[in-house]
Amino acid sequence: MIQKVAASEIHQICAAALLRAGAPESHARLQVDLLLEAELRGRASHGLLRLPRIVARIRNGVADPRASGRHDWQGDGLLQVDGECGLGPVVACAALDALMERAATTGVALAAIANNNHIGMLAFYAERVATRGAMLIALSTSEALVHAWGGTKAMLGTNPIAIGVPAAPLPFVFDMATSVVSMGQIHDHALRGAPIPLGWALDASGRPTTDAKAARGGAIAPFGEAKGYALGLAFEVLVAGLTGAALGRAVRGTLDATEICNKGDVFIVIRAAQMEAMAASIALYLDEIRDDAPAEGFRRVAIPGDRANAVRAERLRDGVPVAGNVWDDIVALARA
Amino acid sequence: MIQKVAASEIHQICAAALLRAGAPESHARLQVDLLLEAELRGRASHGLLRLPRIVARIRNGVADPRASGRHDWQGDGLLQVDGECGLGPVVACAALDALMERAATTGVALAAIANNNHIGMLAFYAERVATRGAMLIALSTSEALVHAWGGTKAMLGTNPIAIGVPAAPLPFVFDMATSVVSMGQIHDHALRGAPIPLGWALDASGRPTTDAKAARGGAIAPFGEAKGYALGLAFEVLVAGLTGAALGRAVRGTLDATEICNKGDVFIVIRAAQMEAMAASIALYLDEIRDDAPAEGFRRVAIPGDRANAVRAERLRDGVPVAGNVWDDIVALARA
């Protein structure tokens, strides 16, 4: 059921599918860069399985593969972006490029992006910015999938955060959802008929469940109990306050193929003079943490990104494992 | 042992103690505003018990009560602050005032603050900014008290984050440390001879412990397991990268009375045109969450700040409970 496909082949076939759907070549390539990078980092939930939905959204007129977003500088450092229903990473990277240029003189620049499609794995953007010598704080919202701490209904998005910080030789790249797991992991357990641990999710009536199928219609728990809930909620209101995005249960278009996407994305790019001098100290500090004696049950102490970098190296060498049905669907789209 | 003292009396006596230590009146008042607000919100760990140490730091020459920080705009939106060893909230509020003014034209402004003393409870700043119609993201580092996920030594600060977002009638104010508990709570259990739950801390040899006394010499757990650890680490390197602050075990001066404080603080102030229009939608959304049916074992669903606001109202009316020995020490400092 799982086959290994070379990264270069994945790139070519996926890009062909998007070209057929009407995307200009540079936009198709950027969208595929993002999906492939998720696969290379071992994050299949943000990888190839998203492509057929992106194509369907283009066909249904809720994604415009030619748009890259309209830019309106509301202040010297504050960019309002109307995503014009463009492809998520196309609109996001156009905004990032503008922020990188502006932050060279302002030191800090922020983009508040509305009306954009799903921007996928945020680590992609954090790495892009940090390897170019700047810092990034990225926030995004999504459809309500997560319950409040002490609540019973899905009221918050999985609201991820990513932070990229230059370090030598590799940047520090951190990316996480504020849910305890992704809805992708719940679906994966449901497909395999496997139970989920208690504490991951509630069923549709708001009761804790170990039944992955029941969890699909319920709500995922926030990570870190009350604190993680509060953090995800803070991101939800901050992003909506800056972008005018919908809130909570009113958010649409990150999981379906038919509705205009009304969530928001916020990027903050920072360029400070001393960052370059600090890159070496930060790398030393990260190594000091890696060298800490591991606790019982752990083989080593990891830094965010360590596992992703190892998996990427392996998959670039040996190919990317892709579920057969996912790959067949994409090949069909490329040849349709 | 616990006595109730009126907020106005606390303010007067604490300010007198700082005036005697050489603080100008406006600086003394601001420092006391911060400590008193922590007590009013029920956060005694960030309240009056900090005052004797602040006075000791002034006497030992590692806090200068007259300084308010030197400002150097490195870019139109990027303020580098040398705190000149000033009192934490004095330097912090001077920086915030500058950011608020600048963000009126740039939309976003960031302060990277080095060489400042402990800035205390971050909610104070988030509320200050959000009640004036802007958003704040605040980050700060501290001495290494928290272990890496899977590690055994204290390698990270408790690295709090606060976010303030305008909402009507009250702003949204969120403030948390990235540790599962504060070192203050560990000390409190140790003083009472009470055990701590497994998972809160490791002892000095890196083993999980329920002995609060043993935990004092060990390390607190990050909140939210691997994700909370990664988040706290991201804040540590982001703040250090922008401020040039010390990292991990090299941080000093947030817990002692004798060393120059070498941690960092970062503030990001954001003013966007649509924020005002969104304040009402955000308030409605927060009410929708409060109205969710509570899960088993919960009486209601809370929004960050709900409990603090209730406690504050009660304490403004009935007085603030203060440990007798803490109050005696402060009264002695005010009359010394």
Side-chain angles (χ1 to χ4, degrees):
Chain A
M1 294 289 290
I2 301 284
Q3 58 194 104
K4 285 203 176 172
V5 187
S8 56
E9 188 183 349
I10 289 177
H11 205 288
Q12 192 199 329
I13 301 283
C14 290
L18 285 167
L19 289 172
R20 279 193 176 271
E25 200 182 330
S26 64
H27 293 189
R29 250 195 263 130
L30 193 51
Q31 178 71 65
V32 179
D33 285 347
L34 171 74
L35 300 177
L36 177 58
E37 180 62 18
E39 294 285 351
L40 289 173
R41 286 177 163 255
R43 296 266 299 276
S45 62
H46 286 65
L48 299 190
L49 67 81
R50 304 249 174 185
L51 187 63
R53 193 189 297 144
I54 293 168
V55 170
R57 289 183 63 81
I58 294 172
R59 293 199 174 136
N60 292 335
V62 290
D64 176 357
R66 282 164 301 274
S68 56
R70 202 154 34 81
H71 289 189
D72 173 20
W73 286 95
Q74 205 185 83
D76 297 340
L78 185 65
L79 178 64
Q80 292 286 350
V81 178
D82 172 352
E84 301 174 309
C85 296
L87 297 176
V90 171
V91 172
C93 288
L96 278 183
D97 289 349
L99 296 184
M100 287 291 285
E101 191 188 333
R102 185 58 59 100
T105 56
T106 57
V108 60
L110 183 151
I113 308 175
N115 201 19
N116 186 23
N117 276 292
H118 194 259
I119 65 173
M121 180 186 67
L122 297 187
F124 180 75
Y125 310 100
E127 181 145 25
R128 184 182 166 100
V129 169
T131 51
R132 294 173 191 186
M135 286 190 191
L136 178 71
I137 301 172
L139 301 171
S140 186
T141 55
S142 80
E143 282 174 72
L145 291 172
V146 177
H147 63 78
W149 184 243
T152 46
K153 268 207 308 281
M155 293 295 298
L156 300 96
T158 51
N159 302 356
I161 177 172
I163 291 178
V165 174
L170 288 175
F172 174 87
V173 173
F174 154 71
D175 170 10
M176 68 165 199
T178 50
S179 51
V180 73
V181 287
S182 68
M183 190 47 98
Q185 284 171 275
I186 304 274
H187 280 279
D188 181 56
H189 279 70
L191 279 173
R192 292 188 287 110
I196 55 171
L198 202 64
W200 273 21
L202 307 176
D203 63 22
S205 66
R207 285 195 206 89
T209 185
T210 58
D211 177 352
K213 286 198 179 73
R216 287 183 305 191
I220 313 172
F223 93 104
E225 306 191 342
K227 285 190 173 195
Y229 151 60
L231 187 74
L233 179 57
F235 295 163
E236 182 110 16
V237 298
L238 184 146
V239 169
L242 291 177
T243 63
L247 283 155
R249 298 172 75 83
V251 179
R252 297 282 181 277
T254 65
L255 297 170
D256 59 72
T258 54
E259 304 223 40
I260 296 274
C261 187
N262 60 2
K263 54 78 189 161
D265 313 307
V266 168
F267 289 138
I268 304 173
V269 168
I270 313 164
R271 304 180 87 148
Q274 64 275 54
M275 276 167 38
E276 208 178 313
M278 287 301 293
S281 312
I282 289 170
L284 280 174
Y285 170 59
L286 298 178
D287 277 342
E288 200 188 340
I289 294 177
R290 288 187 184 98
D291 290 343
D292 185 16
E296 219 183 293
F298 288 83
R299 277 191 310 152
R300 67 175 66 85
V301 182
I303 295 295
D306 281 358
R307 199 182 58 93
N309 287 330
V311 173
R312 187 206 274 124
E314 185 195 303
R315 293 187 171 184
L316 282 173
R317 192 188 58 220
D318 301 338
V320 176
V322 186
N325 57 337
V326 170
W327 186 240
D328 291 346
D329 287 353
I330 292 174
V331 170
L333 287 172
R335 293 182 182 155
Chain B
M1 295 289 290
I2 301 284
Q3 57 194 105
K4 285 204 177 171
V5 187
S8 57
E9 188 183 350
I10 289 177
H11 206 286
Q12 191 198 331
I13 301 282
C14 290
L18 285 167
L19 289 172
R20 280 195 174 270
E25 198 181 331
S26 63
H27 293 190
R29 248 194 266 129
L30 192 53
Q31 177 71 64
V32 178
D33 285 347
L34 171 74
L35 299 178
L36 177 58
E37 180 63 18
E39 294 285 352
L40 289 172
R41 286 176 164 256
R43 296 267 299 276
S45 62
H46 286 66
L48 300 190
L49 68 79
R50 303 251 175 183
L51 187 64
R53 192 189 296 145
I54 293 168
V55 171
R57 289 184 63 81
I58 294 172
R59 293 201 173 134
N60 291 335
V62 290
D64 176 357
R66 283 164 300 274
S68 56
R70 199 154 35 80
H71 288 190
D72 174 20
W73 286 95
Q74 205 185 83
D76 297 340
L78 185 65
L79 177 64
Q80 291 286 349
V81 178
D82 172 353
E84 300 174 308
C85 296
L87 297 176
V90 171
V91 172
C93 288
L96 279 184
D97 289 349
L99 295 185
M100 287 290 285
E101 193 188 330
R102 184 59 59 100
T105 55
T106 56
V108 59
L110 182 151
I113 308 175
N115 201 19
N116 186 24
N117 276 291
H118 193 259
I119 65 173
M121 181 186 65
L122 296 188
F124 180 77
Y125 309 102
E127 182 145 25
R128 183 183 168 100
V129 170
T131 51
R132 295 174 192 185
M135 287 191 190
L136 178 70
I137 302 172
L139 301 171
S140 187
T141 55
S142 79
E143 282 173 71
L145 291 171
V146 176
H147 63 78
W149 183 244
T152 45
K153 268 207 309 280
M155 292 296 299
L156 298 97
T158 52
N159 302 355
I161 178 172
I163 291 178
V165 174
L170 288 174
F172 174 87
V173 173
F174 154 72
D175 170 11
M176 69 165 199
T178 49
S179 50
V180 73
V181 286
S182 67
M183 188 47 98
Q185 285 171 273
I186 304 276
H187 280 279
D188 181 55
H189 280 69
L191 279 173
R192 293 188 286 107
I196 55 171
L198 202 64
W200 274 22
L202 307 176
D203 64 21
S205 66
R207 285 195 206 90
T209 185
T210 58
D211 178 352
K213 286 198 179 73
R216 288 185 305 191
I220 312 172
F223 93 105
E225 306 190 340
K227 285 191 173 195
Y229 150 60
L231 187 73
L233 179 58
F235 295 164
E236 182 109 17
V237 298
L238 184 146
V239 169
L242 291 177
T243 63
L247 283 155
R249 298 173 74 83
V251 179
R252 297 282 181 278
T254 66
L255 298 169
D256 60 72
T258 54
E259 304 223 39
I260 297 274
C261 187
N262 60 1
K263 55 78 190 158
D265 314 307
V266 167
F267 289 138
I268 304 173
V269 169
I270 313 164
R271 303 179 89 149
Q274 64 274 55
M275 276 167 39
E276 209 177 312
M278 287 301 292
S281 313
I282 289 171
L284 281 173
Y285 170 60
L286 298 178
D287 276 343
E288 200 188 340
I289 294 177
R290 288 188 184 97
D291 290 343
D292 185 16
E296 218 184 292
F298 290 82
R299 278 191 309 153
R300 67 175 66 84
V301 181
I303 296 294
D306 281 356
R307 198 182 59 92
N309 288 330
V311 173
R312 186 207 273 125
E314 185 195 302
R315 293 187 171 183
L316 283 172
R317 190 186 62 219
D318 302 337
V320 177
V322 187
N325 55 338
V326 170
W327 186 240
D328 292 347
D329 287 351
I330 292 174
V331 171
L333 287 172
R335 293 180 180 156

